[in-house]
Amino acid sequence: MSNIIYIGYEFKVAPLQPAVEILIAELGYAGFESFVESETGATAYIQKDEWHEEILNDIHILKSDEFEITYTFSEIEQTNWNAEWEKNFNPIVVDDICAVRAPFHEKFDTEYDIVIEPKMSFGTGHHETTHMMIQHILKSDMANKSVLDMGCGTGVLAILTEMKGAKPIDAIDIDNWCYLNSLENVERNNCSNISVYEGDASLLNGKSYDVIIANINRNILLQDIQTYTACLNEGGTLFLSGFYNHDISTIDAEVSKYGLTLQEALERNNWVALKYQ
């Protein structure tokens, strides 16, 4: 890994949200593989081998009149991302019940102990949306429930549902890195009921679940809610996150079309996680 060269883009964004969220989603589809949000915007990284001069041509939000987005970019020698994460990745404990930590952290005295290898991905539990989804899962009966973790990232939510007795579980992510990392983390946590797939909602044709967890961005959720609800068993539960409190009315209007009712909303720093039945 020491000889891999990265291109780093530093974006300054005003106003910050929801522009940064949309920007990161679009950059992800363009091939950028890691992101660090900041007080002024975000930094995005792509391997030099994957980069080309027209890489930003399809990033639609850069052409939007609603936001002012400027950027600079430079070449960065890849030294050791994992070493950087080890310095910056602190373990978290959610509601004194569930710990999310790296292999090099000491084990916590919690009911659930999830070990995630800290790499450049979402889903360590530090982001508000993952934290709230963990809270929802901790409060829910998962015993023998079939589960879908859509946009699984590191696989942390799928892993927690298995620890709470769910089976079988499907974990899906469109990003190859997330797919591979979820496979690693599923094995690392000795899970035997999780199947990991690389792809999008088109993989759900003919599938059905008691519980569906989707922690993705607002636009993808709105596009795929109909597919999720079609896969939900009668009396099933749908957990949605990846958006802000000002998006609740838009999300709720879409979900309500399919006969689901909002049961509970959690909020952290303007991010929300909704539970539907």
Side-chain angles (χ1 to χ4, degrees), residues 36 46 48 60 63 68 122 135 174 177 179 185-186 250:
V36 179
I46 185 170
K48 187 176 181 180
H60 300 296
K63 306 177 182 75
E68 183 178 335
F122 299 106
Q135 289 181 302
I174 197 168
W177 191 96
Y179 163 72
N185 289 324
V186 163
T250 306

Side-chain angles (χ1 to χ4, degrees), residues 7-14 16 19-20 23-24 26-28 32 34-46 55-56 59 61-62 68-73:
I7 305 290
Y9 279 76
E10 186 172 344
F11 293 92
K12 295 196 182 306
V13 182
L16 278 176
V20 168
L23 176 64
I24 287 175
E26 291 191 2
L27 290 170
F32 285 78
S34 53
F35 309 91
V36 179
E37 292 188 47
S38 67
E39 293 179 0
T40 57
T43 305
Y45 299 94
I46 185 170
I55 192 78
L56 299 185
I59 309 302
I61 193 169
L62 296 179
E68 183 178 335
I69 303 176
T70 59
Y71 63 87
T72 57
F73 67 95

Side-chain angles (χ1 to χ4, degrees), residues 99-114:
V100 181
R101 63 182 178 88
F104 50 83
H105 294 137
E106 288 190 20
K107 191 176 186 296
F108 283 79
D109 184 22
T110 52
E111 185 175 355
Y112 304 105
D113 178 57
I114 301 176

Side-chain angles (χ1 to χ4, degrees), residues 165-181:
K167 62 181 177 183
I169 302 153
D170 288 344
I172 300 176
D173 205 292
I174 197 168
D175 181 84
N176 177 255
W177 191 96
C178 292
Y179 163 72
L180 295 173
N181 190 233

Side-chain angles (χ1 to χ4, degrees), residues 261-273:
T261 307
L262 181 60
Q263 301 288 307
E264 185 180 9
L266 300 179
E267 182 173 338
R268 264 174 91 87
N269 298 325
N270 295 320
W271 294 91
V272 291

Side-chain angles (χ1 to χ4, degrees), residues 39-258:
E39 293 179 0
T40 57
T43 305
Y45 299 94
I46 185 170
Q47 288 191 30
K48 187 176 181 180
D49 289 349
E50 303 290 323
W51 178 85
H52 54 87
E53 289 188 1
E54 293 80 34
I55 192 78
L56 299 185
N57 283 4
D58 293 328
I59 309 302
H60 300 296
I61 193 169
L62 296 179
K63 306 177 182 75
S64 170
D65 295 330
E66 294 181 58
F67 311 104
E68 183 178 335
I69 303 176
T70 59
Y71 63 87
T72 57
F73 67 95
S74 59
E75 191 173 291
I76 300 162
E77 184 159 0
Q78 159 84 335
T79 51
N80 188 338
W81 283 126
N82 278 6
E84 291 302 306
W85 270 90
E86 287 190 19
K87 286 192 292 190
N88 297 303
F89 176 44
N90 297 312
I92 66 156
V93 177
V94 178
D95 297 344
D96 296 322
I97 302 172
C98 177
V100 181
R101 63 182 178 88
F104 50 83
H105 294 137
E106 288 190 20
K107 191 176 186 296
F108 283 79
D109 184 22
T110 52
E111 185 175 355
Y112 304 105
D113 178 57
I114 301 176
V115 180
I116 299 296
E117 185 70 42
K119 293 182 179 178
M120 282 294 187
S121 181
F122 299 106
T124 58
H126 288 72
H127 194 274
E128 285 86 347
T129 58
T130 316
H131 191 285
M132 290 184 293
M133 288 299 227
I134 289 172
Q135 289 181 302
H136 272 310
I137 293 167
L138 289 173
K139 292 190 284 185
S140 300
D141 174 18
M142 292 287 168
N144 297 309
K145 299 282 180 72
S146 55
V147 172
L148 167 66
D149 180 5
M150 195 72 199
C152 58
T154 60
V156 63
L157 300 179
I159 290 164
L160 179 57
T161 64
E162 171 159 336
M163 289 180 173
K164 291 207 70 196
K167 62 181 177 183
I169 302 153
D170 288 344
I172 300 176
D173 205 292
I174 197 168
D175 181 84
N176 177 255
W177 191 96
C178 292
Y179 163 72
L180 295 173
N181 190 233
S182 290
L183 285 173
E184 292 173 6
N185 289 324
V186 163
E187 184 177 349
R188 182 173 285 111
N189 289 274
N190 301 312
C191 294
S192 57
N193 297 305
I194 300 173
S195 301
V196 184
Y197 301 96
E198 182 178 353
D200 58 17
S202 64
L203 294 178
L204 301 179
N205 190 29
K207 298 268 196 173
S208 65
Y209 304 94
D210 300 316
V211 177
I212 295 178
I213 300 162
N215 184 14
I216 316 179
N217 73 68
R218 170 186 178 275
N219 295 340
I220 299 295
L221 288 177
L222 289 171
Q223 171 187 300
D224 290 344
I225 280 170
Q226 182 176 4
T227 303
Y228 303 153
T229 55
C231 295
L232 197 62
N233 292 332
E234 189 168 346
T237 306
L238 175 66
F239 296 105
L240 299 176
S241 194
F243 48 92
Y244 295 91
N245 52 13
H246 59 72
D247 296 315
I248 292 177
S249 58
T250 306
I251 296 288
D252 191 59
E254 183 63 23
V255 179
S256 299
K257 290 181 188 176
Y258 306 104

